[in-house]
Amino acid sequence: MVLRDENGGFIFDSAMLQKQANLPSEFLWPQEDLVQAQEELNEPLIDLGGFKRGDEVETARAAELLSKACSEHGFFQVTNHGIDATIIEAAHNEINTFFNMPLDKKLSLRKKPGSLNANGYSGAHAHRFSSKLPWKETYTLLHHENDPSNPNIIVDYCKSVMGEDFEHTGWICQRYCNALKKLGLLITELLAISLGVDRFHYRKFFEDCVSMMRCNYYPPCQNPGLTFGTGPHCDPNSLTILHQDQVGGLEVFSNNKWKAIRPEPGALVVNIGDTFMALCNGRYKSCLHRATVNRNLERKTIAFFLSPREDRVVRPPQELYSREEPRKYPDFTWPEFWEFSQKHYRSDVTTIDNFIKWKLSSKPSGTFSSIA
């Protein structure tokens, strides 16, 4: 049994669906996609403590580890990151506030089909797709810390859209995003060092960035081997910083194999997205990853996505391209790419390549070749 809205669209009722032995066809994935991970990824656990203290030896070591990981698969974890454990715990508690809402309340806060507004609830991304749905619910909040006209954008959104009772939730999420943005800017410095460019190049680029907080809830699933919590994809944004609980389920594609990620207590997961791959001229890989679901346990994560301000031109620093190593991607802006990923294409490992083909097909010939 599945629920449908007034337009015949699929409604993800997690309380009901997690009890069903047979999955609705909308959640079934092709057998070739369901190959299970047989080993764990040996990704680096990068200690940011020495880098934050200005220790040159520790900074060089962290940059070396980061460079190797980002060149191979675009994934690493960080410790001594400076995010207070109480802020993380409070944010995770607020996930329950979102996902424990009655179904009719969730549906009233759904993202609109075709809308580029990031805010709102999504049940299995059914507002965008009709097949190969992910077994999850999400709630996304747009964050603009440096917007003088609305410095507490998340608080205002929660109060005005969700109701006065959600003001506290808004403040917790606002504090979490402010803290994660500071960490994100710090990581961009280490990325710049590892690439051999000016330490503050990317920090300046992202100082007035656009960011999003996405809360993910993966309910138990009676047939976890037939579906995904999140299908294989690369993130279109620049950086993703994820806090996950200890249930596990995240997997990364490395050396032509899917490999599981062991949750590290106190660590935050970081992966490179498509936009940063363009910003470093392809030196670092956008991370191909997915999430499985569990038969008995629910899983919750909070993803923080760092992206450029709307009018910033995505272009690598000159040190990263030359006649011998020409530009791999033409100039573009984040809104162009975001719209493509939301309206024209389902994110996967080839999203940015297909975006470039789409972009160049709508431009006069020779645009790309003239940028090197």
Side-chain angles (χ1 to χ4, degrees):
M1 175 184 175
V2 296
L3 298 177
R4 303 282 176 181
D5 60 22
E6 64 278 5
N7 298 316
F10 184 87
I11 295 176
F12 185 69
D13 184 352
S14 61
M16 177 184 72
L17 289 172
Q18 65 182 277
K19 299 174 184 177
Q20 291 187 194
N22 297 317
L23 296 188
S25 61
E26 288 89 345
F27 290 96
L28 300 180
W29 283 68
Q31 195 62 40
E32 59 268 22
D33 290 340
L34 295 167
V35 177
Q36 296 184 1
Q38 300 297 321
E39 57 186 284
E40 292 183 347
L41 181 69
N42 185 27
E43 83 283 1
L45 197 61
I46 299 176
D47 187 335
L48 295 180
F51 173 54
K52 291 164 60 181
R53 292 192 305 270
D55 185 312
E56 293 184 3
V57 174
E58 290 297 317
T59 295
R61 173 60 177 160
E64 180 184 0
L65 288 172
L66 185 149
S67 178
K68 186 174 187 298
C70 291
S71 299
E72 291 180 356
H73 43 64
F75 179 89
F76 54 97
Q77 299 198 52
V78 294
T79 59
N80 287 323
H81 42 69
I83 307 300
D84 194 316
T86 59
I87 294 178
I88 295 175
E89 181 181 4
H92 267 274
N93 288 338
E94 294 309 316
I95 291 182
N96 297 326
T97 302
F98 289 129
F99 299 119
N100 287 342
M101 290 187 293
L103 181 60
D104 58 346
K105 175 70 171 179
K106 294 178 187 177
L107 296 179
S108 71
L109 300 170
R110 275 189 299 183
K111 298 178 182 179
K112 303 298 187 290
S115 172
L116 294 177
N117 186 344
N119 286 321
Y121 169 81
S122 173
H125 293 334
H127 66 293
R128 293 182 59 199
F129 309 116
S130 59
S131 64
K132 295 197 297 184
L133 297 183
W135 189 264
K136 70 173 179 179
E137 297 177 80
T138 68
Y139 207 99
T140 304
L141 297 165
L142 190 64
H143 174 251
H144 280 283
E145 182 190 11
N146 292 336
D147 184 351
S149 66
N150 196 1
N152 297 317
I153 186 172
I154 294 179
V155 179
D156 292 345
Y157 169 83
C158 288
K159 285 176 59 180
S160 63
V161 176
M162 303 179 71
E164 293 287 337
D165 292 345
F166 287 87
E167 181 178 5
H168 176 72
T169 298
W171 281 113
I172 295 295
C173 294
Q174 185 80 48
R175 286 181 59 209
Y176 184 84
C177 286
N178 291 351
L180 265 289
K181 182 197 169 183
K182 291 180 175 63
L183 174 60
L185 293 178
L186 186 71
I187 292 172
T188 67
E189 287 188 44
L190 191 58
L191 284 163
I193 292 170
S194 73
L195 287 162
V197 302
D198 178 76
R199 171 174 178 159
F200 299 107
H201 176 85
Y202 293 119
R203 184 183 186 98
K204 291 175 183 176
F205 185 82
F206 287 106
E207 193 73 56
D208 49 5
C209 67
V210 175
S211 53
M212 292 186 297
M213 173 183 182
R214 176 166 293 163
C215 305
N216 300 301
Y217 171 61
Y218 304 90
C221 177
Q222 293 298 309
N223 270 298
L226 300 179
T227 191
F228 288 114
T230 302
H233 70 288
C234 295
D235 294 333
N237 57 286
S238 298
L239 289 181
T240 302
I241 307 176
L242 180 81
H243 186 271
Q244 58 177 337
D245 59 23
Q246 296 301 299
V247 173
L250 179 61
E251 297 179 349
V252 168
F253 196 71
S254 177
N255 293 323
N256 296 314
K257 294 180 181 178
W258 284 105
K259 299 182 180 181
I261 303 301
R262 180 191 296 271
E264 294 283 350
L268 291 170
V269 164
V270 185
N271 69 260
I272 300 296
D274 287 341
T275 302
F276 193 85
M277 184 167 66
L279 282 167
C280 67
N281 202 33
R283 297 275 184 100
Y284 289 166
K285 288 186 178 181
S286 183
C287 178
L288 179 60
H289 56 290
R290 68 187 188 183
T292 62
V293 287
N294 193 288
R295 185 184 300 276
N296 301 309
L297 300 174
E298 63 181 17
R299 177 173 179 255
K300 297 174 185 176
T301 67
I302 304 175
F304 180 82
F305 300 107
L306 193 73
S307 300
R309 198 178 73 186
E310 289 90 341
D311 59 350
R312 295 279 188 207
V313 176
V314 175
R315 177 189 301 139
Q318 284 192 335
E319 300 96 310
L320 298 184
Y321 62 93
S322 63
R323 186 176 299 276
E324 292 72 31
E325 187 180 0
R327 290 276 301 276
K328 293 182 171 65
Y329 307 97
D331 291 353
F332 63 89
T333 63
W334 169 242
E336 287 181 291
F337 190 27
W338 173 249
E339 180 175 4
F340 177 83
S341 69
Q342 297 301 295
K343 285 188 174 182
H344 301 288
Y345 197 79
R346 184 170 186 153
S347 293
D348 63 14
V349 70
T350 62
T351 304
I352 192 166
D353 292 331
N354 282 286
F355 164 69
I356 297 306
K357 292 176 184 175
W358 171 81
K359 179 177 171 63
L360 295 180
S361 70
S362 63
K363 300 289 184 181
S365 61
T367 303
F368 181 59
S369 60
S370 67
I371 66 171

